[in-house]
Amino acid sequence: LSQPVSQMPQTSFSYRVDFSPNKHNLAYVTVDFGTQQPAECEVMMPAWTPGHYLMREYAKYLQDLRFTDDQPSGTDTSTETSTETNTVTKVAKNRWMTKRPPGTPLKLTYTIFAHQNSVTSSWIDSEYALIVGAAMFLTIDDQRQIPCVVKLELPESWKYACAAMPTAINTDNTNGSNVATFVAKDFTELVDSPILCGNPEISSFNVGGVEHHLINLDPGPFWDTQAAAKDVARLVQSQQEMWGIVPYHNYHFINIIKESGGGLEHDHSTVMCTSKWKYRDRSQYIGWLGLVSHEFFHTWNVRRLRPRGIAEYDYHSENYTKCLWIAEGLTSYYDDLHMIRSGVIDESEFFKQISKTVSAVQLTPGRHHQSLAESSLDTWIKYARPDENSVNSTISYYTKGATVGFLLDAKIRSATQGANSLDDVMRLLYQRHVGNGGYDLDDFYAAVKEFSNDDVVDWLITAVETTEELNFDQAMAYYGLERKPFDDSKKEDMLKAVWGLVLENKGDRVMVKTVLEDSPAYQAGVNTGDELLALGEHRLLAADATTKLSQHRSQESDTLLVSRSEKLVSLPITLGEHDDLSWDLVPIKKPSSEQTSAVKSWLSPEKQGG
């Protein structure tokens, strides 16, 4: 699956990873930084990985860092501070100072504990390994531009080592061992190139003259890899046509079917985690296709077209930007749009996806307290680290960013009688700012103005930089949409929208996880952490609490009995009106010809310049 290199780089950092024995989720790593390093040299491990804006502190998984045993005789290989040569001393959470005789190799060995079933950390067991570069490899901070050679010692039963690095040497048998060797042009590319080792099922396809590979780990009898690859290919074609440029040499969709979730984008690949039970469930499969569409759209939007604050990575600390609503939120808008444009979902399924996104924003009280720009800037401590009150104090730059994208696209199309769209803005931004230090909010506003007018830009600034309520009237009138009446038969929606409660069960106990601001439960004095005991005279248990609570309708009153710090508290509660709580958007029954034309232009495949 990789492109073989004709020769190794003359100067490189060399890594060797041994997976055996792997009964305890350990990788044994040796790194050789060569002889040219100073006698005292600091090495480091990234504290986070690009695409996931949280300090992961990967050094916590590293142990037993020391010089290798094949150092010149008479040296001290202990990790304690010492006056002897060949010492390793930890100086910060993710940095170590090494000391050795001048002119001798800086060659270290260490062990990584890899037991995080996610897209942001490494995993190793007897069945497979996922190597996330930031969580596996040390480097020298000011020499990240040096090529990196990685050799993996694989168990003989593993057939594949898959990575989308531009240059790689395929798996071979060296001295009787199963060794895969990859070459990254620098450390950033190494971090950006996850490696899957094991026995996945692979389906390859060519779109736009480029090879793509759907790599399904453990699909079992429930996933049809070839059929799924056909849907992925349609998404790929739709996005290539919109952008009008294919900026990658090959692409890997690494799909780990191990009962987890999430996705993380890279320049030439993505890693996704999913469940074996999603493929045959239409709604859940649409969710997976949306994940594929989202991560692949990042190939352009954020991997190459980057906000200024993350144009160059600082692997030690937070990298701040107010533009994650563009990088992630607009990507979330387009992941749904390309599903309908590519034909993998139909119009009714598309409007369900849009409605879900809009509902997530409009039923989140935090939209009144945090702007999109603030949400982007604060992701490191808020979005990525939610607590029980987050729904009341924050808004997601994913969902509100996507919602603003939906409204902005409609405004541009309406202002220009359908001549321009958000697609044009994204292409212009790409042309101007890829490889040019990134963009900021003003750059985005300027691009929007070129394809619309001052009124649209003024609206956008308000939508992004304030907490003023969004207005959907223009977009709904332009496309011919209306809101369906609230469906009070949906129990979970009733709990959240009508009561203002998010519950969690602990055995038979019904616990309050979140209380939405200004909701009936909030006004009644229900607190996070309360245990719900009874509704009126009726006992509430985990098996029936949602059913009983959802029986109440607008303006009805009752009493909640809760246990709080081992005290019983009786709370009278009256439900409010909920006619305006539905954000299910559907086409009106008799749209005008102009509305029909607007929807067709919006949802049909849109190529560059078209």
Side-chain angles (χ1 to χ4, degrees), residues 232-249:
V232 174
R234 295 164 78 179
L235 290 168
V236 168
Q237 181 176 357
S238 177
Q239 295 189 20
Q240 286 184 356
E241 289 179 349
M242 179 199 133
W243 287 102
I245 184 173
V246 181
Y248 53 92
H249 61 87

Side-chain angles (χ1 to χ4, degrees), residues 47-48 55 93 314-319 380:
W48 68 288
M55 301 308 290
K93 65 179 182 180
D314 176 354
Y315 289 112
H316 297 277
S317 59
E318 295 85 352
N319 293 216
W380 300 91

Side-chain angles (χ1 to χ4, degrees), residues 23 37 49 122 426 446:
K23 296 179 181 179
Q37 306 303 333
T49 190
S122 297
M426 298 305 292

Side-chain angles (χ1 to χ4, degrees), residues 86-319:
N86 284 14
T87 60
V88 179
T89 305
K90 192 165 190 177
V91 295
K93 65 179 182 180
N94 66 327
R95 295 185 284 122
W96 297 260
M97 181 61 71
T98 67
K99 181 179 179 182
R100 73 193 198 290
T104 60
L106 177 51
K107 192 174 181 181
L108 304 169
T109 183
Y110 57 94
T111 304
I112 293 290
F113 179 63
H115 194 253
Q116 298 292 314
N117 186 17
S118 76
V119 299
T120 60
S121 295
S122 297
W123 172 277
I124 299 170
D125 64 12
S126 58
E127 183 180 350
Y128 77 100
L130 174 67
I131 295 178
V132 173
M136 183 67 61
F137 300 117
L138 294 175
T139 193
I140 299 172
D141 206 20
D142 62 357
Q143 298 184 38
R144 287 189 276 151
Q145 76 283 2
I146 293 177
C148 299
V149 177
V150 178
K151 293 188 176 183
L152 308 173
E153 296 188 7
L154 308 176
E156 291 186 4
S157 59
W158 291 1
K159 297 179 181 179
Y160 296 105
C162 305
M165 297 182 215
T167 55
I169 296 175
N170 294 328
T171 302
D172 59 58
N173 289 310
T174 304
N175 298 326
S177 63
N178 197 21
V179 177
T181 304
F182 294 97
V183 181
K185 66 180 181 182
D186 54 27
F187 185 75
T188 296
E189 183 172 271
L190 181 60
V191 167
D192 186 48
S193 303
I195 306 171
L196 178 68
C197 306
N199 298 304
E201 188 174 288
I202 301 170
S203 183
S204 301
F205 53 92
N206 189 296
V207 180
V210 177
E211 283 296 313
H212 302 73
H213 313 279
L214 175 59
I215 303 169
N216 274 349
L217 182 75
D218 196 22
F222 302 100
W223 274 74
D224 185 332
T225 299
Q226 291 187 350
K230 291 180 180 179
D231 285 336
V232 174
R234 295 164 78 179
L235 290 168
V236 168
Q237 181 176 357
S238 177
Q239 295 189 20
Q240 286 184 356
E241 289 179 349
M242 179 199 133
W243 287 102
I245 184 173
V246 181
Y248 53 92
H249 61 87
N250 70 354
Y251 198 91
H252 288 192
F253 295 92
I254 299 174
N255 190 38
I256 300 175
I257 309 173
K258 287 293 184 182
E259 307 312 308
S260 187
L264 191 65
E265 69 276 3
H266 300 277
D267 276 358
H268 298 84
S269 64
T270 180
V271 177
M272 303 171 292
C273 287
T274 189
S275 165
K276 63 175 59 70
W277 311 110
K278 287 190 175 183
Y279 181 78
R280 294 181 178 178
D281 182 298
R282 178 62 182 173
S283 64
Q284 294 194 69
Y285 182 59
I286 289 174
W288 180 79
L289 289 173
L291 178 64
V292 172
S293 184
H294 184 98
E295 301 307 330
F296 187 63
F297 197 82
H298 275 316
T299 303
W300 295 268
N301 189 30
V302 91
R303 288 310 311 162
R304 291 165 177 85
L305 175 60
R306 297 184 190 176
R308 191 160 297 156
I310 57 174
E312 298 292 336
Y313 300 133
D314 176 354
Y315 289 112
H316 297 277
S317 59
E318 295 85 352
N319 293 216

Side-chain angles (χ1 to χ4, degrees), residues 29-50:
V29 184
T30 301
V31 55
D32 188 347
F33 293 113
T35 59
Q36 73 276 16
Q37 306 303 333
E40 293 190 9
C41 183
E42 186 176 278
V43 300
M44 58 81 69
M45 172 171 272
W48 68 288
T49 190

Side-chain angles (χ1 to χ4, degrees), residues 55-71:
M55 301 308 290
R56 300 287 302 188
E57 314 298 6
Y58 291 119
K60 67 183 179 182
Y61 302 120
L62 184 148
Q63 63 192 53
D64 300 330
L65 177 62
R66 59 181 178 82
F67 278 85
T68 60
D69 293 333
D70 59 356
Q71 297 299 301

Side-chain angles (χ1 to χ4, degrees), residues 521-557:
Y522 187 92
Q523 294 172 355
V526 181
N527 287 347
T528 296
D530 285 350
E531 179 185 358
L532 300 189
L533 298 177
L535 175 64
E537 298 179 351
H538 303 283
R539 181 78 167 93
L540 294 176
L541 295 172
D544 60 13
T546 299
T547 298
K548 290 178 178 177
L549 290 169
S550 66
Q551 297 298 308
H552 277 283
R553 297 294 183 264
S554 174
Q555 298 300 306
E556 292 183 348
S557 299

